[in-house]
DNA sequence: ATACCGATTAACT
DNA sequence: GTTAATCGGTATA
């Protein structure tokens, strides 16, 4: 059976980061790190709207060594360390110079479950959080800046979940962002409800 | 230089 | 419900 195509550059270059976040649901995030293919369907995302979004690392046009890659061209991986422990994976969107990004918060594992379980420390194969899915896929901050049209980390096309099971709501863990914390920039669905 | 906080998680009580 | 783990960014001096 033929594999779905990688998402094209044009998917990531679009202006509206919120639309890209919603449309990433149902696509498959693939890692070939270490030589073995591991993958899962994206079930939860959050949009971060660059300079005008208080929750974003690039709020007000902030530019540091950590967030520099947010300013790269759409289709680049932005990976940073959170709470000193967790490697969070984001997809940079929009053209270079516009620091928009989509945080991948959860996947439903589909390929390489054994290796993912092993990477998770042999405990439980949970990929329901932004820190656990990167651990399962072997993604670390060393992969920051990876081109998602390359062969190491990429996203394959897949069917969008039916609109009636997709939930939009406020983002998680951004209480510090004032009114922007209330924006409905989080999208998720229950993979078990797929037809 | 020091101090505090964060796009989190797992293991507790 | 609480807390420890642990490090880059930011503010303050």
């Amino acid at each position: 059976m033929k594999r779905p195509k990688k998402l094209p550059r044009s998917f990531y270059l679009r202006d509206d980061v919120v639309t890209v976040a919603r449309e990433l649901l149902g696509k498959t995030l693939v890692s070939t790190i270490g030589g073995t293919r591991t993958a899962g369907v994206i079930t939860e995302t959050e949009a971060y709207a660059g300079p005008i979004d208080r929750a974003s690392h690039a709020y007000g046009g902030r530019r540091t060594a950590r967030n520099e890659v947010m300013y790269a061209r759409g289709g680049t991986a932005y990976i940073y360390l959170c709470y000193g422990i967790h490697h969070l994976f984001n997809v940079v969107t929009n053209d270079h110079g516009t620091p928009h990004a989509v945080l991948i918060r959860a996947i439903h594992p589909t390929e390489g479950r054994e290796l993912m379980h092993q990477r998770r420390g042999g405990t439980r194969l949970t990929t329901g959080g932004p820190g656990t899915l990167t651990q399962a896929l072997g993604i670390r901050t060393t992969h920051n800046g990876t081109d998602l049209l390359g062969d190491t980390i990429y996203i394959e096309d897949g069917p969008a979940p039916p609109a009636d099971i997709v939930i939009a709501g406020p983002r998680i863990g951004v209480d510090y962002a004032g009114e922007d914390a209330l924006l409905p920039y989080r999208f998720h669905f229950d993979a078990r409800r797929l037809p």
Side-chain angles (χ1 to χ4, degrees):
Chain A
M1 190 166 131
K2 199 164 158 247
R3 266 176 195 144
K5 282 184 184 167
K6 266 177 214 174
L7 296 181
R9 181 76 64 191
S10 56
F11 182 94
Y12 303 107
L13 288 178
R14 289 175 292 168
D15 282 346
D16 185 3
V17 66
V18 180
T19 297
V20 176
R22 190 174 52 240
E23 292 187 3
L24 277 170
L25 296 179
K27 312 294 190 224
T28 296
L29 176 59
V30 181
S31 155
T32 60
I33 293 163
T36 302
R37 190 179 145 101
T38 50
V41 175
I42 297 170
T43 58
E44 182 176 350
T45 62
E46 281 176 0
Y48 286 84
I52 61 163
D53 180 359
R54 288 197 64 167
S56 172
H57 290 163
Y59 176 60
R62 198 184 307 126
R63 196 161 187 158
T64 66
R66 175 176 70 160
N67 76 2
E68 177 60 32
V69 69
M70 291 183 83
Y71 291 83
R73 181 168 55 152
T76 304
Y78 170 44
I79 300 151
Y80 72 95
L81 195 61
C82 185
Y83 292 100
I85 305 171
H86 306 289
H87 304 257
L88 303 205
F89 175 79
N90 300 253
V91 175
V92 174
T93 71
N94 213 305
D95 213 338
H96 58 86
T98 304
H100 290 180
V102 176
L103 171 66
I104 307 301
R105 289 194 61 90
I107 63 171
H108 176 72
T110 51
E111 295 174 60
R113 299 179 59 99
E114 206 169 298
L115 176 56
M116 290 196 274
H117 186 267
Q118 196 177 309
R119 283 181 177 138
R120 288 275 300 133
T123 53
R124 204 179 307 174
L125 177 51
T126 50
T127 52
T132 57
L133 77 89
T134 53
Q135 191 182 8
L137 294 174
I139 295 172
R140 282 158 283 120
T141 52
T142 51
H143 302 104
N144 188 37
T146 299
D147 183 358
L148 299 179
L149 274 82
D151 292 324
T152 308
I153 305 169
Y154 50 94
I155 301 175
E156 287 176 352
D157 201 3
D164 61 323
I165 68 168
V166 174
I167 299 165
R171 292 169 293 184
I172 302 293
V174 295
D175 294 347
Y176 58 87
E179 292 189 357
D180 288 348
L182 304 175
L183 295 169
Y185 281 6
R186 173 175 177 243
F187 301 95
H188 60 112
F189 71 97
D190 186 346
R192 293 168 303 187
R193 296 224 289 155
L194 283 176

